[in-house]
Each structure stands twice: as C-alpha cells, then as structure tokens.
Amino acid sequence: MSNETLTPQQLFRKQAAGEAISPEQGESVHRHVITLLIENTLGALNRVANLFSQRGFNLESVSVGEAKDLSKSRMTIVTTGNDRIIGQVLKQLNSLVDTLVVEDVTNVEHVERELCLVKVRCDASERAALIAVWTSFARTS
Amino acid sequence: MSQSIVQQSTSPTASAAASAQAAIAPSGVQSVVSDPETTTATGLVTGAEILIRSLEAEGVEIVFGYPGGAVIGIYDEMHRIQPSFEHILVRHEQGGTHAAEGYAKATGKVGTVLVTSGPGATNCVTGIADAYMDSIPIVVFTGQVPTHLIGNDAFQECDTIGITRSITKHSFLVRDVTKLAETVKKAYYIARTGRPGPVVVDLPKDMLAAKAPFHYPESVSIRGYSFVGKGDPAMVEKAAQMIAESKQPLLYVGGGTIISEGAERLTRIARKTRIPVTTTLHGLGSFPEDDSLSVGMLGMHGTWCANQAVQHADLLIAVGARFDDRVTGKIAAWAPHAKIIHIDIDPACISKNVPVDCPILGDVSLVLEQLEPLLAEKDTTDWLQKIDIWRKECPLDFDRDGQLRPQEIVRALRDKTGGRAIVVTDVGQNQMWGAQFFSYLSPRTHITSGGLGTMGFSLPAAMGAAFGLRGGADPVISINGDGGVLMNIQELGVAAAHKLPLKVVILNNSYLGMVRQWQELFHDERYSHTDLTPTNPDFVKLAESFGCVGLLCDKPEDIQATIDAAWEVTDRPVVMDFKVITQEKVFPMVPAGAATGDMITVQFNSENTV
Ligand SMILES: Cc1ncc(C[n+]2csc(CCOP(=O)(O)OP(=O)(O)O)c2C)c(N)n1
Ligand SMILES: [Mg+2]
C-alpha cells in the first residue's frame, strides 16, 4: 500500500505502531534494556522466560540474580522490536502476578557491560601489540 | 521459595506407601486418616480438610470433579465432612472444566474444578486454555505426586504447572500446608478480579495429608498483583469530546462489557446519544438486538450492515473488546476512517492489534459510569439512515424451499422462547447460525467458545450453566454440530442423572460443516475427511441410552412440533436431532485475512461479491 492510498487514520496507526510507512523506509526496530524486580521463586523466573516464547517476543539476553531483599530477584532483559511490540513486552511483563517492578531503562543512564573470553595464539614478538589492542578496549583491568 | 514444610503426621514411609497404592482400589488407600478427636484436641486438620473448609469459606456452591489416587484424600474428607458445596461427578475432566466455564459465564461467579494428577490434569488443559482465551474465572485444583517424588517420573506425574503456564492467569504449587488456605483465597481472588481468567492450584499428595491449623484469611494481599478501577478523568473527557464531535460514530462492544456488568449502562448511553451498536460474538446480549440502534454482530460472519458501518464510521468506541483477527480481518484495511476510543481493563489489550487515539484503561462499567454524565443527546439521523440502507441491502435470511435448514430451526427456537433463554453454542457453522439467528436481548444469555474455538464446549458448558441457574425460569439451550457434540457427549449422562431439563439441539448436517464450507469455497470442493455420514450414530438412541429423551426431525413442517414436544419435558435433557441439509453455508462472510470491505454475501461467485 503506498502512502497516497492511506487514510489519515491509517497513517496515524502505522506511525503509532512504529511500522514502516513506505517500503523504502523500513521498520524502526530498536534494542531495549528492561529491568525487572520479581518474586524470588522458580515459578516467577519460569513465567517471565515463558512469556517471551508464548508471545513470540525476541529475547537477546537475560541475567538474573538475587536482589538486596532476598525475597526478590533482579532480572535484566535485552529485547528488540518496534514501538508497538516493546509496548506489548512491557505491558505483558507487568501483567504477570510475580513481577513487582518493570522498567525500560534504555533511555535512562545505565552501565552496560559485556564479557568476552578470547583465546589468542601468539608468540613473544606479537605480545606487545596484543596487549595494546586489549588495553584500548578494556575500561577496567 | 518457601522453606518450611509442616508435616505433622506424615512420615516418609506413610506417604510413600500411600502413593504406591494410589492407583489401586479406592478403599483402604489413605495412609493418614484424620481422626475427628485428635483434630479437635490439637487444633490441627489435614490439608485435605483445609481445602474443603476453604472452599466452603469461599462460598463455593458447586465443584465439578473426578477422583483419582492423588486426590483420594480430598474425596475421603468430603465423604466424612459432607461439605456445604455440591460435588458433581462429571464423566471426563474436559467436560468438568467446560462445565465450570458455563457455570461461571451464566452466573458471574467463579467455577471450580477438582481433578487428579497426571491424566486428570492433562484432560483439563483444553478447558483451561479455553477459559484463558475467553477471560473466564475458574479455579482448577489438580492432584500432584508427593513433593519428594516430583521430578522423578512418578506414577501419574506430570508437570501441571509447566504445561499450563501459558494458559493460566496464574498458578500455584502448594509446598507448605500452612499456606494452603491462603493460597486458595489468592486463587479465587486472582481468578475473579481484573481481567478474569483461570488459576491452577497444584496439590502434592503429602500436602493433603499433612496437618495444620485451619484459618481462612479475610483478605489477601499479593504484592505483584493489581488491577485498574476507574479510568483517567482526562481521557474520559477527551472521549466525551470525540463523541460529541463525531458524525458517524459506532459502538463496538465486546464481552468485557458483560463481564464487568456494564451492559445496562452501555444500553442507556447508546440510546441517549443515538449511537448505533455492533457487538462481537462475546458481546452478544450486551445490547438488545431488537433495538433499532443494533446493527448486529461484526466480523468474519457478522452482518453486512455492521461491517459496512465499521468501514464508514468516523469514530469507533470499543468497549471491552479486543480487536481480534476474526473481527478485523485484514487489519490495515479495517475501519480506515475511524478514530478509536478503547475502554478496556487489560493494559496489554490496548493498542495490541490496532493503535488507538484515546485509550481508557479501566473497568468498563466504572468508565461508562464516568462517561455517561459527560455525554449529551446527539443527532445521528443521517448516519442512521445510511445504516438503514445497508441493513435492507443484505439482511440475514435463508431459503424457504421445503428443505430443512439450520437457520429456520434457530429462528423457531427464538420464537418459542421470545429470546428469553440461555443459548450455549458449540463451534463451527452451528455457532454462527446460533449467533446470527437467535437475537439476543440481555447479558449472559449467549455462551460460546470464542477465543479458542473448542468443539465439544457446548454440551458440558450448557450443563454447567444449567447447574448454576437451577430453578430459574429460562431454559438452557445447547446448540451443536454433529461433529462437536460427540466430543463431550458423555456429560449427557450427568445432566440426566441430575434431571437437568437441557434442550440439546443437534444441527446435524452429516459433515464437519464449517471445514466443508472452506473446502467448498477455497479448496475447489475437495471434501477431504469431513464427511461424518459413515460414523454418525443414531442420536435418538444415543440420547435414550443416557436416560434422555431423543427426538428426530427431518422436515421444516416438523420443526415446531419437535420443539413443542421438547419443551414438554421438564425432568431430563431432550436431544433433538435435526437432519438439516449438508450444503447450507454461513453467509455473509469475510474470507480469512481479507479486508472487511470485501464481504461475500449470499453465494460465492464474483457477481455476488459486493
Ligand atoms: C477440538 C477442535 N477440533 C477441530 C476444530 C476445527 N473445526 C472447527 S469447526 C469444525 C467442524 C465442526 O463440525 P460440526 O461439529 O459438525 O459443526 P458444523 O460446522 O457442521 O455446524 C472443525 C473440525 C475445532 N474447532 N475444535
Ligand atoms: Mg456438522
């Protein structure tokens, strides 16, 4: 459907959903970081994980750990989707009985870290160069 | 996770012995029999008794159940206690869950099911999924193997919580008998409140034998659970403004309106503002269909008039509806000119399928209460005139050529009852004819499996409704196809044993009619595996063998006499086998995935495609 044939209402809905208005434009899919505070039970963890497969949401990474209050767990999820889908992810997470707090921190100041273990074969002559590369990436040692 | 498991009297050997014998004879299996004297002396009662006392305290009137090894302790305590609720022994656990759904839909109360572990629980899966899709409050108690055997592939073990996770609103595995009563309270609270839905409570056998004091809490707090009440006043005001400014508004009303008891208010608002009303399948009954403002049902098999109104409306007011694909068809082409106001209790339903201009999150009934005083009378004469043209262009009708047609039977049922009946339909063509030709006048008079589309729903759900409405004046009519009725036919015996005067109608077209219709229209008449003629039973004899009355009708002249005869029977179910023609199709129709504007009316050939 080209732009000309869309009614103003149809245009509005597409924009509101973050869908492509025209084929050239492409969908505006974004990566979102969502943090959750959930009940510290296996059931709660299962339910959150299950939601992603049940609803067909993308799940790029998950990490879970105990919160300060041991009756709760802290979960951090990275997911992708257009605005409509991310809206759904947040609402569906919120609707679980075991979730206490759901927060999209993508646009909130936050620290992101990735861990990468690499095994490199090199001899003594290359070692200095390798260390130089490594230090330029490592923020902390 | 809870750490403390109170097991006052269950030694490991005792519970192991109990589980080893669980599948054998019902007598002598209980390893821990609670003795009334020690009970009063210590103030401790078994988990089984706590469950029963909790159900009593919750005000449960009826439990649809089926015993087995894992729950035999509960059945034993029921025998001893003679609780205030009634237990109905269904003949298949699926029938039990649908009965609980029918009970809940007809009465507005929570339905209750009690089954054993393993196969008992898996047999409930369809009913739980059905309740989840249609937001029906039921609580299903499932037996489970003793806690120490969970995960061991023990006899009759299955991961009930895991299997039902994505089809429940919430679920509980009881690991601490001291928390059992509280868990029951939570289960009913969650099932009933907010957007209702099914809750599963899994009961390991050792929890039923373990003892604890019984105390049913007055109230529970669940820290992660909340639901909305009133809507945001600013949004309600915005909605009122949009309604005032609209020229061609349409109310699009769904089942949420009935669930929240908002139908009466909705009707008042529509009449005051002169805004026409279309309903979804589950919205039938929320607005009287004999009112001149009613344009009937919308969607795939909705009326021409309703779908035309959607396509031309400049404002849609969606009330407790969820923009299901059977309603919208091809979403990009749906309601192309309409701004949308959406009132719904479930945040996740808002802007899920269609982004809306004015979302109002709240309980439908409460939001309508806020909205009503802000609305002024409106002049919609021009719009109603347009609608009247569409109504006359393509009314719901059928041929009267001497052949027995299903639509005529549904019309006759309406005429017999004046619309005062509870109609429970199955799935397929019979469901659509039941929706199109009955004319629903009040809430909770139409019950069907809409979201999941479960064949075999009608008979047990009608039975559950009839249990809930016993003594009421209006008959419960179960409308079935010849395919679906066999999927839970066993419940006929239960209905007969309890003398329920169910009116069971079979629109017997000797085919899986709805599939046949698609095969005829979209698969070049290749009727692959849809002919039921070789296997269909003699439904009259079948009915009689269950202790019901069976009646056969195969010509239009006999419809009235058959129905009259059925209405004479008041002490048992009547099964009416209507041998209708095979070829009849449900029209009008928006083919799956097509635009709502492209309806097929009357017959499938290009000349008639409007
Ligand atoms: C449990 C289940 N299995 C399969 C289907 C797919 N299905 C939908 S309608 C239909 C045909 C129903 O035939 P019948 O009960 O005779 O009703 P009719 O359409 O003929 O009125 C089938 C097989 C379903 N909805 N539910
Ligand atoms: Mg059939």
Side-chain angles (χ1 to χ4, degrees), chain A residues 7 10 39 47 84 88 91, chain B residues 171 223 332 335-336 348 350 352:
Chain A
T7 65
Q10 289 172 322
E39 295 286 353
R47 249 178 225 109
R84 187 179 61 83
Q88 274 295 307
K91 287 173 181 174
Chain B
S171 53
R223 59 183 177 181
I350 289 188
K352 179 167 75 180

Side-chain angles (χ1 to χ4, degrees), chain B residues 427-430 453-455 481-484 487 509 511-515:
Chain B
V427 170
Q429 291 182 313
N430 64 85
T454 310
M455 282 170 70
D482 46 319
M487 287 197 176
N509 52 13
Y511 261 82
L512 296 172
M514 187 55 96
V515 183

Side-chain angles (χ1 to χ4, degrees), chain B residues 92-98 113-116 118-130 138 140-142 164 167 200:
Chain B
H92 188 301
E93 289 89 349
Q94 185 190 353
T97 46
H98 293 326
V113 181
L114 169 62
V115 298
T116 194
T122 55
N123 271 352
C124 289
V125 166
T126 304
I128 296 170
D130 193 88
I138 62 171
V140 180
F141 294 95
T142 53
T164 59
I167 50 171
V200 165

Side-chain angles (χ1 to χ4, degrees), chain B residues 112-340:
Chain B
T112 305
V113 181
L114 169 62
V115 298
T116 194
S117 65
T122 55
N123 271 352
C124 289
V125 166
T126 304
I128 296 170
D130 193 88
Y132 183 68
M133 292 291 273
D134 285 347
S135 312
I136 303 175
I138 62 171
V139 177
V140 180
F141 294 95
T142 53
Q144 183 54 278
V145 300
T147 320
H148 71 275
L149 288 180
I150 290 179
N152 279 16
D153 296 327
F155 179 63
Q156 292 195 328
E157 177 183 1
C158 74
D159 176 13
T160 303
I161 296 291
I163 290 169
T164 59
R165 188 172 294 123
S166 55
I167 50 171
T168 46
K169 184 171 172 189
H170 196 59
S171 53
F172 296 96
L173 172 62
V174 176
R175 291 169 165 278
D176 178 353
V177 69
T178 65
K179 301 227 170 79
L180 176 55
E182 181 189 322
T183 304
V184 174
K185 180 86 186 174
K186 283 182 183 172
Y188 279 87
Y189 179 70
I190 292 173
R192 182 177 54 230
T193 51
R195 180 179 180 175
V199 176
V200 165
V201 181
D202 206 20
L203 303 162
K205 185 160 180 164
D206 52 332
M207 290 298 118
L208 299 171
K211 289 190 174 185
F214 171 65
H215 165 68
Y216 200 66
E218 289 272 298
S219 62
V220 282
S221 77
I222 305 164
R223 59 183 177 181
Y225 179 66
S226 62
F227 50 91
V228 290
K230 282 192 175 184
D232 174 354
M235 279 302 174
V236 177
E237 238 163 78
K238 180 178 171 190
Q241 177 109 28
M242 287 168 75
I243 291 170
E245 284 165 5
S246 67
K247 297 212 162 45
Q248 311 204 130
L250 180 67
L251 280 154
Y252 150 42
V253 182
T257 310
I258 295 171
I259 293 173
S260 80
E261 306 286 350
E264 220 175 288
R265 209 161 256 138
L266 179 275
T267 303
R268 273 209 308 275
I269 287 177
R271 285 178 176 159
K272 177 177 179 188
T273 55
R274 306 292 301 155
I275 298 178
V277 181
T278 180
T279 74
T280 67
L281 183 62
H282 277 315
L284 289 171
S286 56
F287 185 77
E289 289 194 285
D290 59 357
D291 192 296
S292 65
L293 287 169
S294 168
V295 296
M297 185 171 78
L298 82 170
M300 180 176 275
H301 288 299
T303 63
W304 167 252
C305 180
N307 284 329
Q308 285 302 100
V310 168
Q311 292 309 87
H312 291 85
D314 65 356
L315 178 67
L316 275 185
I317 309 151
V319 187
R322 62 182 177 90
F323 302 83
D324 173 79
D325 57 278
R326 284 292 187 264
V327 160
T328 62
K330 187 172 158 197
I331 220 149
W334 192 69
H337 307 290
K339 292 204 163 131
I340 302 177

Side-chain angles (χ1 to χ4, degrees), chain A residues 32 47 49-50 70 78 91 96 107:
Chain A
H32 283 249
R47 249 178 225 109
N50 185 72
L70 289 185
V78 179
K91 287 173 181 174
L96 295 178
N107 299 319

Side-chain angles (χ1 to χ4, degrees), chain B residues 524-602:
Chain B
D524 293 329
E525 304 184 28
R526 290 184 296 275
Y527 300 119
S528 179
H529 298 277
T530 44
D531 185 0
L532 300 179
T533 328
T535 52
N536 265 350
D538 177 334
F539 284 108
V540 171
K541 280 191 191 154
L542 183 67
E544 284 166 355
S545 75
F546 274 115
C548 307
V549 174
L551 301 170
L552 180 74
C553 172
D554 55 9
K555 34 185 179 314
E557 309 86 88
D558 294 345
I559 295 177
Q560 198 54 51
T562 307
I563 292 177
D564 287 345
W567 256 250
E568 289 298 311
V569 181
T570 55
D571 62 347
R572 72 192 83 172
V574 183
V575 176
M576 290 159 265
D577 179 9
F578 288 99
K579 289 244 189 318
V580 298
I581 56 169
T582 295
Q583 299 74 19
E584 196 65 1
K585 287 179 285 295
V586 180
F587 286 120
M589 175 179 197
V590 181
T596 299
D598 302 332
M599 271 199 116
I600 308 169
T601 58
V602 195

